[in-house]
Amino acid sequence: MIVKLEKSISEKRLDEIKELVEGEDISVIINESSDEKIMGIIGNLQDVNLKLLEKCSEVKEICKVDEPYKRASRKFHPKNTVIKMNDNLLVGDKELMMIAGPCSVESEEQMIEIAKRVKASGANFLRGGAFKPRTSPYSFQGLKYEGLKLLKKAKEVTGLKIVTELMSTDDIEIFNNDVDVIQIGARNMQNFDLLKKVGKLNKPILLKRGIAATIEEWLMSAEYIMSEGNPNVILCERGIRTYETSMRNTLDISAIPMIKKLSHLPIIVDPSHATGIRWMVNPLSKAAVASGCDGLIIEVHNNPDKALCDGKQSITPDMYDTLVNELRPIAEVINRSI
Ligand code: PEP
Ligand code: MN
């Protein structure tokens, strides 16, 4: 339920109204839109005394929220969420979140070379899997803790923030210390234990859409993280499984405006895993930026044909450079920048 209140309401009255509502099974969150204060009420709504609320002169409107997600809903939080990485780096603001790097961390030389190249082209985050979720147990599973060390080295050299996937709750502490944005992969989108644990951190979480997840299921996973206290969720559309077989997945471009409508959370797009095809990364990145996404996560490898994972969808640093240059004017039209 949301209660819309006069924007000019005093802190004292706001606290009093909050007290009327709050209870053992009811939590209250306060946000604001351009013309009102929004009180979001979550929990056992039968216990809320509507009659008392209606009597308050500052209450403009009381509305039921049908969607099962609350904290992730734009109705509860009308303004876009902007996540501050540091004074100069914000996610969900004008500048796009440009994450680039190989599918997996393979060696120090590889990471440093790719990091330098993508940074020079305009990337502001470095990706690289240290723990890899592979369909086959016989495929390369990642360099694990050694991979995290190499990501940190590349960060020391370039200053790029690190984005990497967490697969196990056992590694929460080391990820919390070493990683700037923790990625929850498509296969773990509904690993509720993992979601609850990262919800206890104060770190930005990149939540990939599950392979066959609806938008509502995806937002419910964001809700798991947020309900534990972590509001810093970045959604990532990475293609969904459909009946189409000519690509690895089907990029759901329509998820971008739909998420923007339903939620205040930033949404970025992964055109690499969405198709699995190198030449498709360029046109789909353009479509995603033009559709209003907040950034892109792209697999870039210095020798894609020799990559230990996902070489077929990885673009070269030169291709990344061309892509970023082609994206800039598109971003500019919708008042975004790279
Ligand atoms: C990845 O980004 O390396 C990855 C495995 O992606 P996804 O979880 O979307 O398949
Ligand atoms: Mn990959």
Side-chain angles (χ1 to χ4, degrees):
M1 182 189 298
I2 59 170
V3 180
K4 296 184 180 172
L5 299 150
E6 297 290 347
K7 182 136 190 172
S8 57
I9 185 172
S10 68
E11 284 298 315
K12 186 168 167 278
R13 277 299 289 150
L14 195 61
D15 285 345
E16 283 169 5
I17 297 177
K18 219 172 138 192
E19 256 174 50
L20 277 182
V21 176
E22 259 168 351
E24 215 173 286
D25 296 327
I26 304 176
S27 46
V28 173
I29 45 177
I30 309 284
N31 286 304
E32 59 182 58
S33 69
S34 48
D35 40 31
E36 51 215 358
K37 280 244 162 40
I38 309 275
M39 179 179 278
I41 307 175
I42 304 169
N44 194 354
L45 299 182
Q46 276 142 338
D47 291 354
V48 178
N49 191 334
L50 284 181
K51 293 242 158 55
L52 270 181
L53 266 181
E54 275 160 3
K55 279 194 195 138
C56 301
S57 61
E58 301 86 349
V59 171
K60 288 168 67 181
E61 200 186 340
I62 301 176
C63 342
K64 207 170 149 250
V65 174
D66 293 325
E67 295 83 8
Y69 48 88
K70 312 290 178 192
R71 289 176 164 84
S73 166
R74 196 177 274 285
K75 289 183 186 160
F76 272 61
H77 187 295
K79 292 184 181 164
N80 285 339
T81 282
V82 174
I83 299 172
K84 189 171 176 178
M85 303 299 308
N86 62 36
D87 283 346
N88 303 314
L89 188 56
L90 303 172
V91 176
D93 206 37
K94 188 171 183 234
E95 190 182 345
L96 294 178
M97 180 186 210
M98 293 294 284
I99 312 171
C103 179
S104 329
V105 178
E106 295 170 8
S107 70
E108 183 170 339
E109 305 73 62
Q110 172 227 26
M111 282 317 296
I112 293 187
E113 186 189 333
I114 298 173
K116 282 184 176 164
R117 292 288 312 274
V118 297
K119 182 178 180 182
S121 299
N124 41 19
F125 290 81
L126 177 67
R127 65 152 290 148
F131 295 82
K132 293 303 306 173
R134 302 304 300 277
T135 303
S136 165
Y138 311 117
S139 302
F140 176 57
Q141 303 284 312
L143 295 181
K144 308 203 165 81
Y145 302 104
E146 182 57 25
L148 289 182
K149 278 193 204 149
L150 299 182
L151 281 164
K152 283 209 306 189
K153 274 209 173 136
K155 176 179 173 176
E156 265 166 41
V157 174
T158 58
L160 288 175
K161 301 266 181 210
I162 300 169
V163 182
T164 193
E165 178 168 351
L166 169 70
M167 296 221 298
S168 163
T169 53
D170 295 346
D171 297 323
I172 294 261
E173 213 174 295
I174 185 164
F175 270 65
N176 196 27
N177 289 329
D178 291 358
V179 171
D180 299 296
V181 176
I182 298 179
Q183 178 173 327
I184 301 294
R187 291 154 194 82
N188 274 318
M189 188 204 82
Q190 285 189 318
N191 180 337
F192 300 118
D193 200 30
L194 195 56
L195 299 179
K196 284 194 242 176
K197 294 259 165 57
V198 296
K200 298 235 170 353
L201 308 178
N202 195 26
K203 239 334 116 186
I205 308 299
L206 181 64
L207 178 64
K208 291 195 130 192
R209 183 177 183 179
I211 288 169
T214 64
I215 287 177
E216 187 168 293
E217 286 163 345
W218 186 17
L219 287 172
M220 286 311 287
S221 291
E223 191 80 11
Y224 259 95
I225 300 171
M226 299 172 87
S227 66
E228 293 293 331
N230 188 349
N232 306 309
V233 179
I234 303 159
L235 300 166
C236 177
E237 162 60 41
R238 45 78 71 204
I240 46 173
R241 188 160 286 177
T242 66
Y243 51 76
E244 180 53 59
T245 54
S246 59
M247 294 157 283
R248 190 171 172 180
N249 294 293
T250 299
L251 179 61
D252 184 8
I253 283 279
S254 54
I256 305 165
M258 186 54 89
I259 286 286
K260 288 280 170 202
K261 176 99 184 144
L262 300 176
S263 179
H264 51 90
L265 296 172
I267 173 170
I268 70 162
V269 168
D270 176 345
S272 310
H273 291 90
T275 63
I277 302 170
R278 188 175 304 154
W279 65 264
M280 291 197 88
V281 170
N282 180 306
L284 291 183
S285 297
K286 289 171 179 164
V289 168
S291 301
C293 72
D294 296 292
L296 295 167
I297 175 166
I298 295 180
E299 286 188 347
V300 180
H301 198 284
N302 48 353
N303 191 354
D305 295 330
K306 291 269 158 60
L308 294 180
C309 182
D310 285 348
K312 285 201 172 76
Q313 67 196 34
S314 301
I315 61 173
T316 61
D318 281 344
M319 289 169 79
Y320 187 70
D321 194 60
T322 305
L323 171 60
V324 174
N325 283 325
E326 290 176 5
L327 283 172
R328 283 198 172 103
I330 299 172
E332 216 170 284
V333 171
I334 51 168
N335 200 27
R336 305 300 287 262
S337 64
I338 300 177

